[in-house]
């Protein structure tokens, strides 16, 4: 009976580990999925801002028009990187956490199987005790009961060993996966922010170099009825936006990029189009070359 109690204590520890993992992974999956959706919504809002900036620039003076055009293109480029960030988060972070539900269900089934075998062992032990108390002289019945107890005990011992191996492997895999998932999470975020800083630096320089006086001169000339000093052509965005990021979405124009991303977002959350070795290559560049190179 002491051995049975020991097994019962073991299974409680194993069950607690699996239950804790089920709760923790469920919460992490829910939060990181929400994080990814929020990032996608931020991308969509930024696309709307880009469109509004283009409309605004069309009605402005030449210097401001060119400045806002360049700023809008930089902002659109950041959303290309953000789109890649969303896709990578979905593939490398959220989906692996979702898959843990199946693994946890299988592990819980193994624990349930062990409990059934353990309960059978307890049942056979109790039956033997009753026979010894009620019919101590019936050696045949007692012998049969002892054989049943022996078989149940062997079965429980074998199942306990298998369950220990299963739970040990589960725990090891859980720790490895948590490390890998959050390394991927940090890497994805780090690459996005490094690229965003690079583009925002360019946007800052564009805005900082804006020549306000030239637009004022043009505006004052118009007020005096002097025309022909500005380019009346409306803003059209045809600049190809390229990226050194291997998995970034490449747009052919600011507006076509936003339309394409909007269509993709309506169809699905996005498919991962980047090979693992490309991300590892980005990691391996280190501080020497910089993540944004």
């Amino acid at each position: 009976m002491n051995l049975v109690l020991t097994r019962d204590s073991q299974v409680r520890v194993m069950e607690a580990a699996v239950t804790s993992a089920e709760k923790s992974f469920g919460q992490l999956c829910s939060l990181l999925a929400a994080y990814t959706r929020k990032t996608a919504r931020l991308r969509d809002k930024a696309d709307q801002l880009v469109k509004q900036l283009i409309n605004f620039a069309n009605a402005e003076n030449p210097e401001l028009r060119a400045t806002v055009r360049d700023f809008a293109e930089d902002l659109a480029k950041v959303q290309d990187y953000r789109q890649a960030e969303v896709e990578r988060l979905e593939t490398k972070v959220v989906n692996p956490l979702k898959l843990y539900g199946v693994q946890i269900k299988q592990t819980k089934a193994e624990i349930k199987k062990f409990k059934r075998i353990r309960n059978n062992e307890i049942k056979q032990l109790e039956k033997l005790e009753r026979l010894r108390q009620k019919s101590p002289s019936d050696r045949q019945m007692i012998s049969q009961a002892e054989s049943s107890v022996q078989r149940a005990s062997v079965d429980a011992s074998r199942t306990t060993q298998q369950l220990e191996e299963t739970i040990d492997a589960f725990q090891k895999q859980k720790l490895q996966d948590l490390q890998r998932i959050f390394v991927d999470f940090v890497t994805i975020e780090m690459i996005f922010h490094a690229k965003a800083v690079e583009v925002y630096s360019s946007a800052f320089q564009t805005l900082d170099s804006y020549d306000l006086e030239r637009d004022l001169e043009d505006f004052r000339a118009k007020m005096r009825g002097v025309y022909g000093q500005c380019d009346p052509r409306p803003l059209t965005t045809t600049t190809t936006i390229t990226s050194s990021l291997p998995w970034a979405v490449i747009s052919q124009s600011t507006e076509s990029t936003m339309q394409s991303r909007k269509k993709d977002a309506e169809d699905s959350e996005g498919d991962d189009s980047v090979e693992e070795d490309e991300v590892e290559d980005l990691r391996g560049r280190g501080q020497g070359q910089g993540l944004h190179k």
Side-chain angles (χ1 to χ4, degrees), residues 236-247:
T236 57
T237 306
T238 58
T239 305
T240 299
I241 302 175
T242 60
S243 168
S244 60
L245 188 62
W247 39 266

Side-chain angles (χ1 to χ4, degrees), residues 17 20 57 61 74-75 180 189 216 228 239 272:
S20 176
N61 293 315
D74 282 339
L75 191 58
R180 177 180 54 79
E189 291 294 296
L216 280 177
T239 305
D272 182 62

Side-chain angles (χ1 to χ4, degrees), residues 85-275:
E85 176 195 16
V86 169
E87 293 173 357
R88 296 297 293 175
L89 286 172
E90 183 71 25
T91 301
K92 305 294 291 183
V93 176
V94 178
N95 286 344
L97 287 171
K98 287 180 180 178
L99 294 176
Y100 248 84
V102 177
Q103 187 171 352
I104 288 173
K105 184 177 180 180
Q106 293 172 346
T107 305
K108 291 177 72 175
E110 291 295 323
I111 294 176
K112 187 176 180 181
K113 176 183 175 182
F114 169 79
K115 284 182 174 181
R116 186 172 62 251
I117 294 172
R118 181 204 57 186
N119 290 339
N120 180 58
E121 181 185 21
I122 293 172
K123 181 181 178 180
Q124 295 301 327
L125 282 168
E126 291 174 345
K127 181 179 179 180
L128 176 61
E129 287 300 318
R130 286 195 302 269
L131 281 172
R132 284 174 175 171
Q133 292 175 6
K134 293 181 179 181
S135 306
S137 60
D138 192 344
R139 298 305 305 166
Q140 183 178 0
M141 291 295 293
I142 292 175
S143 178
Q144 290 177 354
E146 288 175 343
S147 297
S148 296
V149 168
Q150 182 67 23
R151 288 194 298 271
S153 180
V154 170
D155 196 13
S157 296
R158 182 178 63 254
T159 305
T160 300
Q161 182 178 356
Q162 292 173 349
L163 185 60
E164 285 178 358
E165 294 172 355
T166 298
I167 298 299
D168 184 80
F170 172 83
Q171 187 72 5
K172 180 180 179 180
Q173 188 65 46
K174 182 192 78 172
L175 299 176
Q176 289 175 338
D177 287 346
L178 273 176
Q179 180 188 33
R180 177 180 54 79
I181 287 170
F182 282 104
V183 164
D184 285 339
F185 173 80
V186 171
T187 300
I188 291 166
E189 291 294 296
M190 190 165 53
I191 292 173
F192 165 74
H193 287 290
K195 295 301 298 184
V197 167
E198 178 185 358
V199 178
Y200 280 134
S201 296
S202 173
F204 176 85
Q205 293 172 4
T206 296
L207 295 169
D208 191 54
S209 62
Y210 166 57
D211 191 345
L212 180 147
E213 291 300 327
R214 290 191 62 180
D215 273 346
L216 280 177
E217 289 176 6
D218 181 76
F219 179 73
R220 289 162 182 165
K222 286 180 179 178
M223 284 197 301
R224 299 186 187 101
V226 180
Y227 294 93
Q229 296 189 18
C230 67
D231 182 3
R233 291 176 297 172
L235 169 65
T236 57
T237 306
T238 58
T239 305
T240 299
I241 302 175
T242 60
S243 168
S244 60
L245 188 62
W247 39 266
V249 179
I250 306 301
S251 68
Q252 294 302 313
S253 71
T254 303
E255 293 181 345
S256 65
T257 298
M258 292 187 291
Q259 292 170 358
S260 176
R261 284 205 304 269
K262 183 177 180 181
K263 184 177 184 299
D264 291 343
E266 291 172 352
D267 294 338
S268 66
E269 288 295 329
D271 297 323
D272 182 62
S273 61
V274 184
E275 297 296 333

